[in-house]
Amino acid sequence: MDSLLGYHRYDLFETFFESGNFCIVIVDHEGLISYLNEEYCRFLNVKKSEALGHHVTSIIENTRMHLVVDSGEEEIADLQYIRGNYMIASRIPLRSEGEVVGALGMVLFRDTEEWLKMNSHIKELLLELEAYRTQLQQKNGAVYSLHHIISRSNTMDQLKNKVKKIAPGDVSVLLRGESGTGKELFAHSLHHLSERSTQPFVKVNCAAIPDNLLESELFGYQEGAFTGAKRGGKPGKFQLADGGTLFLDEIGDMPLNAQVKILRVLQEGEVEAVGALKPEKIDVRIIASTHQPLEELIESKEFREDLFYRINVVQLQIPSLRDRKEDIRLLAKSLLHKLTERIGKRVVDFEEEVFEIFQAYHWPGNVRELENVVESAVYLTNTEVIRVEDLPAHLLSHSYLGEETQGLKAIMDKAEKQAVERALKKADGDKSKAAELLNIGKSSLYDKVKKYQL
Ligand SMILES: Nc1ncnc2c1ncn2[C@@H]1O[C@H](COP(=O)(O)OP(=O)(O)OP(=O)(O)O)[C@@H](O)[C@H]1O
């Protein structure tokens, strides 16, 4: 045995790590992946070469490997949500001469179903847990929390810290920001981190409720309140949110008469269903969102000032994507991962030029627009990497024009530089070929290469 281990140690480990149908990952003291076996690569849908050397959090969803390295504490049979399933993982710190030098993670069962087959005795408990979880989710309605908000910019970090501070209280929060910046994700997160997290989270799209239905939608109605009223009546959004959070989305689009009614409920803490004989007490926390300039709407008497002061106790301004361009790369990668998983197509990365175009574009639709662009590119691409030609045309033409402050000369230079760079790349550095692709003379190309120091 000694000689077996002595002479064949490496082969034995390799055989062990690679032949079982379990997943193994090893990270170093910085949380960078040193080893990922083939089975895990298949499960994660990544290439080994792309994973090695990268921080484990960028490759494995909800991983805790880097935390185990920090704490030095092993975690055995932990439930981890990954690729749409709960799997069971164990994480063991690796020590050398008393120091933690890394960690080994092993996925024991890749989904709870696999686990159930082997552990019939806990089946009942787990099913019960799932039932409660689903029930809670249905009742609760808030599915996102802070870790779903992907970012690396300082402004977003500061916002997330602010959310952690204000979430526990009952203070009303007004979320401001352009459409698609993630206001709803913040509303969910505030609820999740609050003491009301086990209670309902109810969203009202203030812009979408027709005027004549507004009262019954918000405050409910009693049986027989009007012709066509349901038997037994119907609770309104306020009653449904009782004890929890009411998210008033696009409050700036709410008609004035509805603003008056909402204000009254907030002031008095009670609602009166249509046809009810007396009001009922209601306890809700209000989170509102808007992309409208409310101060201007107050000036033009389209928004009530008293309601504004009620909802605007703490204000969170979510920056537009063009004001936090350092988030774009991370967001694009994360959205790609999420979308390919949903669509079921293997597309693993973006060409570097795509990121350049993303950086130059002004993203009027913010993260929602980025999501749409990545989704359409995933459908269109014929390769595993999204290329410039997979992007919508308006992105290419606008990318140079996004920064109007630069002046026309600078914009044209930038466009020219990118075109030359692209042609050189396509021609594998061959300048004659690149000149041909651009339909210009060779000497003109040389001039441009010199000018832009390519
Ligand atoms: N930081 C983020 N990380 C991951 N996904 C994000 C992020 N921000 C926004 N998204 C995604 O972008 C889309 C738009 O986000 P959301 O609906 O929260 O924006 P919004 O500001 O509420 O928009 P609107 O004002 O139009 O309702 C959603 O699919 C959301 O999941």
Side-chain angles (χ1 to χ4, degrees):
M1 183 71 183
D2 270 358
S3 62
L4 182 68
L5 271 184
Y7 296 128
H8 307 290
R9 184 182 292 254
Y10 182 80
D11 289 344
L12 286 177
F13 283 131
E14 183 78 10
T15 314
F16 173 71
F17 283 171
E18 294 295 350
S19 63
N21 70 342
F22 41 73
C23 303
I24 288 188
V25 59
I26 297 177
V27 299
D28 67 10
H29 65 289
E30 291 179 294
L32 304 179
I33 296 179
S34 310
Y35 183 83
L36 190 70
N37 75 350
E38 286 300 336
E39 192 67 20
Y40 214 164
C41 290
R42 259 195 298 280
F43 178 51
L44 295 171
N45 200 14
V46 290
K47 285 187 190 151
K48 196 182 264 193
S49 57
E50 283 160 7
L52 295 182
H54 284 82
H55 198 265
V56 65
T57 49
S58 63
I59 304 291
I60 303 177
E61 221 178 315
N62 296 320
T63 183
R64 294 181 50 81
M65 292 292 290
H66 55 305
L67 303 177
V68 169
V69 174
D70 281 345
S71 68
E73 309 252 330
E74 67 176 22
E75 297 182 350
I76 302 295
D78 193 26
L79 267 184
Q80 182 178 341
Y81 189 71
I82 187 164
R83 293 181 65 82
N85 259 311
Y86 284 95
M87 49 160 228
I88 294 145
S90 285
R91 308 174 193 98
I92 302 153
L94 299 173
R95 291 193 161 77
S96 173
E97 295 171 0
E99 293 276 310
V100 177
V101 292
L104 175 121
M106 210 191 274
V107 174
L108 302 175
F109 303 104
R110 271 157 295 188
D111 55 46
T112 36
E113 222 173 281
E114 207 177 278
W115 187 33
L116 282 173
K117 276 187 209 140
M118 301 190 64
N119 295 273
S120 53
H121 60 285
I122 60 156
K123 189 172 177 174
E124 222 166 294
L125 253 179
L126 200 75
L127 287 176
E128 211 174 316
L129 183 71
E130 276 304 319
Y132 282 127
R133 201 191 298 278
T134 318
Q135 234 178 43
L136 191 67
Q137 192 128 334
Q138 276 166 0
K139 189 176 163 209
N140 192 304
V143 287
Y144 302 109
S145 199
L146 277 187
H147 68 270
H148 292 103
I149 303 179
I150 309 294
S151 67
R152 61 187 292 270
S153 57
N154 287 338
T155 39
M156 291 295 275
D157 276 355
Q158 283 162 10
L159 269 178
K160 286 179 184 173
N161 284 334
K162 207 163 166 190
V163 165
K164 286 182 204 155
K165 279 192 201 140
I166 58 173
D170 265 349
V171 59
S172 300
V173 181
L174 177 61
L175 300 164
R176 304 189 77 165
E178 290 176 13
S179 185
T181 44
K183 296 186 291 296
E184 185 161 348
L185 293 186
F186 275 97
H188 282 225
S189 307
L190 281 161
H191 176 74
H192 253 296
L193 293 171
S194 76
E195 280 129 25
R196 296 170 178 260
S197 61
T198 56
Q199 299 297 317
F201 173 91
V202 177
K203 172 178 159 179
V204 180
N205 187 343
C206 302
I209 308 179
D211 250 12
N212 56 338
L213 291 183
L214 209 124
E215 229 175 315
S216 60
E217 275 292 311
L218 289 176
F219 313 126
Y221 58 77
Q222 295 282 306
E223 182 170 331
F226 45 84
T227 17
K230 268 208 276 186
R231 274 183 69 181
K234 188 179 162 225
K237 300 281 188 187
F238 271 91
Q239 286 93 336
L240 291 171
D242 195 18
T245 303
L246 188 67
F247 174 40
L248 299 171
D249 195 14
E250 300 302 353
I251 196 161
D253 296 333
M254 185 176 253
L256 265 175
N257 66 335
Q259 292 176 30
V260 180
K261 284 173 187 153
I262 289 220
L263 181 65
R264 208 162 47 224
V265 176
L266 299 183
Q267 280 167 341
E268 287 158 21
E270 34 181 55
V271 289
E272 203 169 323
V274 180
L277 296 176
K278 56 181 177 38
E280 53 186 313
K281 283 258 163 255
I282 285 289
D283 163 34
V284 292
R285 181 199 200 165
I286 298 291
I287 299 177
S289 86
T290 184
H291 67 274
Q292 300 262 32
L294 288 187
E295 291 80 356
E296 283 173 30
L297 295 185
I298 293 171
E299 285 277 301
S300 59
K301 304 254 173 294
E302 287 164 85
F303 199 82
R304 289 190 64 112
E305 193 169 6
D306 40 11
L307 178 59
F308 177 68
Y309 289 117
R310 269 272 156 188
I311 57 169
N312 185 29
V313 183
V314 176
Q315 195 176 118
L316 296 181
Q317 177 74 42
I318 322 294
S320 60
L321 192 55
R322 85 188 73 85
D323 289 333
R324 47 180 168 108
K325 289 198 164 168
E326 59 274 45
D327 285 346
I328 292 178
R329 179 181 285 260
L330 190 67
L331 265 168
K333 287 199 170 204
S334 158
L335 291 169
L336 177 69
H337 189 70
K338 189 177 91 180
L339 287 163
T340 48
E341 209 164 77
R342 200 189 71 209
I343 295 167
K345 187 169 171 185
R346 188 180 153 83
V347 183
V348 291
D349 211 341
F350 301 85
E351 258 182 8
E352 203 49 42
E353 279 170 291
V354 170
F355 286 126
E356 280 166 25
I357 288 169
F358 282 179
Q359 287 296 324
Y361 185 58
H362 58 301
W363 299 109
N366 294 291
V367 185
R368 183 177 293 114
E369 188 180 6
L370 177 61
E371 207 168 20
N372 293 341
V373 165
V374 175
E375 181 167 6
S376 84
V378 168
Y379 278 113
L380 289 177
T381 190
N382 295 324
T383 69
E384 290 192 351
V385 174
I386 288 176
R387 299 152 310 165
V388 174
E389 41 280 46
D390 302 319
L391 302 180
H394 74 275
L395 218 72
L396 307 183
S397 50
H398 278 77
S399 61
Y400 307 114
L401 306 173
E403 291 145 32
E404 298 89 350
T405 48
Q406 290 180 349
L408 190 59
K409 171 88 176 65
I411 293 169
M412 285 173 69
D413 278 355
K414 201 165 164 186
E416 189 175 69
K417 182 179 171 208
Q418 286 191 9
V420 176
E421 272 178 332
R422 220 172 290 160
L424 281 168
K425 202 167 168 195
K426 263 206 180 120
D428 283 331
D430 181 335
K431 296 200 179 65
S432 313
K433 234 192 213 163
E436 236 171 73
L437 284 172
L438 290 167
N439 210 8
I440 56 174
K442 216 169 144 188
S443 59
S444 169
L445 185 96
Y446 275 105
D447 288 346
K448 292 184 199 313
V449 168
K450 200 164 154 212
K451 176 175 170 192
Y452 299 118
Q453 297 173 354
L454 298 173

